[in-house]
Amino acid sequence: MPHDLPHDTSAPRSPDGPLLRIEDLRVDIDARDRTVHALDGVSLDVAPGEALGLVGESGCGKTMTALSVLGLLPPGGRITGGRVLFAGRDLAAAPAPVLQDVRGNTIGMIFQDPLTSLNPTMTIGAQVAEPLLLHRPGIGRKEAWTRAEEMLRLVGMPQPSERMKAYPHQLSGGMRQRVAIAMALVCEPKLLIADEPTTALDVTTQAQILELVDDLRRTLGMAMILVTHDLGVIASRVDRVAVMYAGEVAEQSDVRGLFARPRHRYTEALFAALPERAAGRGTELHTIPGLPPSLTTRPTGCRFAPRCAFATDECHARAPEQADDELQGPEHRFACFHPVPHDADAPAAELVTPPPAVAAEPGKALLELDALTKEFPLPGGPFARRRGTVSAVGGVSLTVRKGETYGVVGESGCGKTTLGRIVAGLEEPTAGAVRFAGRDLAALSRAERRAHRRRVQLMFQDSTAAMDPRMRVGEILREPLVIQRVGGRADQEERVGELLDAVGLPRGAVHRYPHEFSGGQRQRLGLARALTLSPDLVVADEPVSALDVSVQAQILNLMRDLQRERGLTYLFISHDLAVIRHLADTVGVMYLGKLVESGPAERVYAHPLHPYTRGLLDTVNVPDPSAVTAARSPLTGETPSAAKPPSGCRFRTRCPIAQDVCATVEPPVTTPNGADHQVACHFPLTAPRLASAV
């Protein structure tokens, strides 16, 4: 059953003391020419059965803290001080055989990327059974195999007996994550560490995975450490929270107390950067100026002082000590000389409110898709050419006007990325038409098509993989100009410098390689690359999905500023509904290759007409533990195969109001709320949504 929010955080802590206690933990990483002080005095504890969330920006020490518990430090990493007490034993000083006995046995871990953490040469069954064979000497292979299959069934794996024989690359992202959970829990550990377990998953798969972890944790009585930068997940899934910054714990509290009354200025700034807390669509998001400090030296003062609007000379001169909150006592501790006052009206009440962004009025149609269809052939056997096709996009029609942001949302596998690749010219449609500025792209000559590519550019989800690691930034940004024969070398280099200025990077970046930049900086480079040829339309495919909230706010503000300055049009693809609501003028909701609903963003979010849209919105984790969610109806069930989509309405197998006609007749497109709000459903919803999630 779905997890009913708000989360119950009232469970008393164990009188016998914590299961895990981290005391003044210090970790250094010796690099070739420097030493990085990754953790500097971290102290935390986790009670039996308790869920602790670790949040903060990338590089703040969340994952390093989790890995230190199991002694899984990177090359050159070493614990230089402190203790890690688990059930009374100091794991920081434990020899390798003790740690090997703990890993996967009494402490389980779910890693961030299941594809890279699973062995590609071993079957799923062998990998889930392996911890039992290592840690349970009395269990034979047959019994381990049987228990592994039971665990896969317990984590909700469809057809577990068949999946036991499969390999990791044959499973979807959600299924691989279920395998990782099964491996972590098969020995029924006392503590589960989950490191960003849902970062790259869509909202419904994320909800299923988190619900699964919650249920299993309560069933097995486990404690948990959840590492994530998603504050919505933290608000709904943990009991206590520790906010980390630059290798230290800035603040820790029960989840309700932290969200209701944050005391540290860094926590306040993180909350203010959330799209859900923006003043409204079209306004600039709050951002945290500057960058986290380098960890190669230990600052003398507060580490957040260089980025804090409230910092004084005292903050720069000495580091604040942990103090108890006046109201909550030792259950809420923070280290700040100028904490957020208790009588503040809102977490961001004293921050400088950014000016509203004034977007240009969308103009005439720039991009028109007419019954666009894309099918991919399935490979056949030795005596057949093909076994069928995958319906990636099934007759999508939409219009994007000049100067607007059209947001495309939906679950993984719904056809969003394929649609974007067709628009960008990287895929050819099977049927239908793509018209750009009134011209049918299929009718263009080869020379005209080459010239057209300058007008549409793609911003990739993985900025690292999209850049050649052997090329310097200057070469990467010049490449489109060279290919399109735009200007001479001097003009091209000046254009590269202007692009770096536009995205907020120094011109000296041209001499560096992509791996020398942070994730947010690489995404800025990806945006600069997309703007090199001054396009009219940018297709942005999940450009902020892997970024923490503060960097995400910077990128979204930058994209909006450039849109206003250059008259850009965006086709923005994302599974983050809060981001889409903040940025998009128009929203299109896709399901299994079909466009099921489209209309103005505010209207779609406030009054969804399709049951799928309402289910998506109700599945979102709200960054507010006290949110009223009794009326929510999250999506359930698995998405059908695109190789064999259901007849009639493709959503009917998961729809709570489906009837017989839905199985035989494809739903008509109607406009119950006016011509600009369309829905493809036999029984469009009429009642407004009762609980706003985003």
Side-chain angles (χ1 to χ4, degrees):
M1 295 293 292
H3 185 64
D4 292 329
L5 302 177
H7 185 66
D8 179 13
T9 60
S10 59
R13 309 193 76 189
S14 172
D16 299 326
L19 173 68
L20 174 71
R21 168 160 285 171
I22 300 174
E23 298 178 349
D24 196 31
L25 182 63
R26 301 174 187 274
V27 173
D28 288 351
I29 302 175
D30 294 325
R32 183 169 51 188
D33 56 349
R34 63 191 186 280
T35 297
V36 178
H37 307 293
L39 298 180
D40 195 6
V42 172
S43 296
L44 298 167
D45 61 72
V46 184
E50 182 180 56
L52 172 70
L54 298 183
V55 298
E57 293 174 286
S58 297
C60 69
K62 306 185 300 294
T63 295
M64 191 62 61
T65 300
L67 294 176
S68 298
V69 173
L70 290 171
L72 297 175
L73 298 177
R78 53 194 171 86
I79 295 177
T80 59
R83 300 193 299 172
V84 180
L85 300 174
F86 178 72
R89 173 181 287 177
D90 185 6
L91 299 184
V98 172
L99 290 175
Q100 290 171 0
D101 181 62
V102 168
R103 296 168 186 157
N105 186 14
T106 52
I107 301 179
M109 183 157 187
I110 304 171
F111 293 91
Q112 181 171 355
D113 186 353
L115 184 59
T116 57
S117 61
L118 297 176
N119 190 328
T121 66
M122 292 175 63
T123 64
I124 296 302
Q127 296 192 63
V128 178
E130 186 177 38
L132 289 169
L133 295 174
L134 288 173
H135 298 295
R136 302 290 188 270
I139 293 180
R141 291 188 176 276
K142 184 176 180 179
E143 186 179 355
W145 188 270
T146 301
R147 288 197 185 184
E149 184 176 336
E150 291 174 353
M151 181 55 68
L152 286 179
R153 184 174 291 106
L154 185 63
V155 300
M157 177 69 74
Q159 301 174 323
S161 58
E162 295 182 15
R163 304 299 181 192
M164 291 280 287
K165 304 171 186 176
Y167 289 87
H169 72 273
Q170 296 175 297
L171 304 182
S172 68
M175 288 184 180
R176 286 195 293 266
Q177 197 63 281
R178 292 175 189 271
V179 173
I181 294 172
M183 291 175 60
L185 300 182
V186 71
C187 289
E188 300 186 9
K190 297 179 180 178
L191 173 66
L192 175 66
I193 300 174
D195 183 14
E196 299 278 10
T198 59
T199 295
L201 303 179
D202 61 63
V203 63
T204 52
T205 306
Q206 178 190 77
Q208 292 171 5
I209 295 299
L210 292 172
E211 179 61 32
L212 171 64
V213 172
D214 261 358
D215 289 345
L216 292 174
R217 181 173 69 85
R218 296 177 189 281
T219 299
L220 301 175
M222 291 185 303
M224 180 175 72
I225 297 176
L226 177 61
V227 177
T228 181
H229 61 250
D230 190 327
L231 292 171
V233 170
I234 286 294
S236 60
R237 303 290 172 175
V238 304
D239 304 302
R240 294 176 56 250
V241 189
V243 181
M244 297 193 66
Y245 183 77
E248 298 180 333
V249 177
E251 183 170 8
Q252 52 183 312
S253 167
D254 71 277
V255 67
R256 287 181 180 274
L258 188 79
F259 278 79
R261 293 177 298 275
R263 302 305 312 278
H264 199 285
R265 292 296 178 177
Y266 175 62
T267 310
E268 175 194 39
L270 282 180
F271 288 168
L274 288 167
E276 294 91 337
R277 299 201 177 187
R281 197 191 66 78
T283 60
E284 294 285 309
L285 294 171
H286 290 278
T287 59
I288 306 175
L291 296 172
S294 169
L295 298 180
T296 56
T297 59
R298 290 188 173 96
T300 55
C302 172
R303 299 191 174 191
F304 186 59
R307 306 173 71 189
C308 181
F310 301 88
T312 61
D313 291 342
E314 182 184 25
C315 301
H316 293 280
R318 64 187 183 92
E321 296 182 355
Q322 291 282 334
D324 294 346
D325 180 73
E326 305 95 293
L327 297 181
Q328 292 184 281
E331 290 299 309
H332 190 164
R333 294 176 60 80
F334 58 91
C336 184
F337 287 123
H338 306 286
V340 182
H342 276 295
D343 57 355
D345 294 332
E350 297 183 45
L351 296 180
V352 177
T353 302
V358 182
E361 186 70 22
K364 61 182 180 180
L366 178 67
L367 173 70
E368 298 171 279
L369 307 183
D370 186 8
L372 192 68
T373 300
K374 178 63 178 179
E375 295 179 347
F376 293 99
L378 286 170
F383 304 107
R385 292 185 178 180
R386 64 171 63 179
R387 295 186 300 174
T389 59
V390 173
S391 177
V393 179
V396 170
S397 298
L398 59 83
T399 299
V400 181
R401 295 180 296 170
K402 183 174 177 58
E404 81 167 338
T405 298
Y406 192 108
V408 182
V409 299
E411 296 170 287
S412 298
C414 72
K416 305 187 303 292
T417 295
T418 301
L419 185 75
R421 290 175 63 85
I422 293 173
V423 171
L426 300 181
E427 297 284 354
E428 292 290 334
T430 305
V434 180
R435 289 188 291 274
F436 190 87
R439 299 195 65 184
D440 188 345
L441 298 188
L444 298 181
S445 66
R446 184 173 181 178
E448 290 173 327
R449 187 177 291 271
R450 179 187 179 94
H452 166 74
R453 292 186 189 279
R454 298 177 57 175
R455 304 187 65 182
V456 182
Q457 292 292 304
L458 183 61
M459 189 175 176
F460 294 91
Q461 176 178 0
D462 187 346
S463 55
T464 303
M467 299 180 193
D468 191 330
R470 300 166 298 178
M471 295 173 64
R472 298 179 189 271
V473 164
E475 299 172 288
I476 292 172
L477 297 182
R478 277 189 60 233
E479 187 178 37
L481 300 171
V482 174
I483 292 174
Q484 292 285 348
R485 302 185 180 93
V486 179
R489 185 179 182 90
D491 293 334
Q492 292 170 358
E493 291 179 347
E494 178 59 28
R495 172 65 176 161
V496 169
E498 292 172 354
L499 287 168
L500 291 173
D501 292 341
V503 299
L505 291 175
R507 293 200 173 196
V510 295
H511 305 297
R512 297 160 62 187
Y513 291 94
H515 72 271
E516 299 180 80
F517 295 86
S518 68
Q521 290 173 325
R522 283 195 297 268
Q523 204 58 278
R524 288 173 183 262
L525 291 174
L527 179 56
R529 171 65 185 257
L531 299 178
T532 301
L533 296 171
S534 301
D536 298 308
L537 174 68
V538 173
V539 179
D541 186 9
E542 300 277 11
V544 295
S545 63
L547 303 179
D548 57 61
V549 63
S550 58
V551 178
Q552 172 185 274
Q554 295 172 6
I555 298 299
L556 293 178
N557 285 346
L558 175 62
M559 292 182 70
R560 184 175 289 281
D561 290 343
L562 291 173
Q563 180 181 42
R564 184 173 62 249
E565 295 167 6
R566 299 168 181 247
L568 292 171
T569 304
Y570 290 127
L571 183 66
F572 197 98
I573 298 168
S574 180
H575 62 248
D576 191 324
L577 298 172
V579 167
I580 288 291
R581 181 173 192 175
H582 175 76
L583 197 67
D585 302 289
T586 306
V587 174
V589 183
M590 291 189 67
Y591 180 77
L592 208 61
K594 294 283 189 178
L595 188 68
V596 298
E597 184 169 359
S598 63
E602 290 299 331
R603 187 177 296 179
V604 171
Y605 277 74
H607 190 176
L609 298 175
H610 200 284
Y612 176 63
T613 308
R614 176 172 289 184
L616 277 180
L617 293 171
D618 286 348
T619 306
V620 173
N621 288 296
V622 188
D624 182 0
S626 62
V628 178
T629 57
R632 299 177 70 185
S633 302
L635 287 171
T636 57
E638 297 289 335
T639 305
S641 170
K644 294 181 180 180
S647 60
C649 175
R650 295 188 177 186
F651 184 61
R652 64 177 176 81
T653 57
R654 301 170 68 191
C655 182
I657 60 173
Q659 299 185 25
D660 292 343
V661 66
C662 301
T664 57
V665 180
E666 192 163 324
V669 177
T670 58
T671 57
N673 277 355
D676 58 348
H677 190 175
Q678 298 182 333
V679 61
C681 182
H682 289 289
F683 307 101
L685 303 175
T686 56
R689 191 156 163 265
L690 299 180
S692 179
V694 286

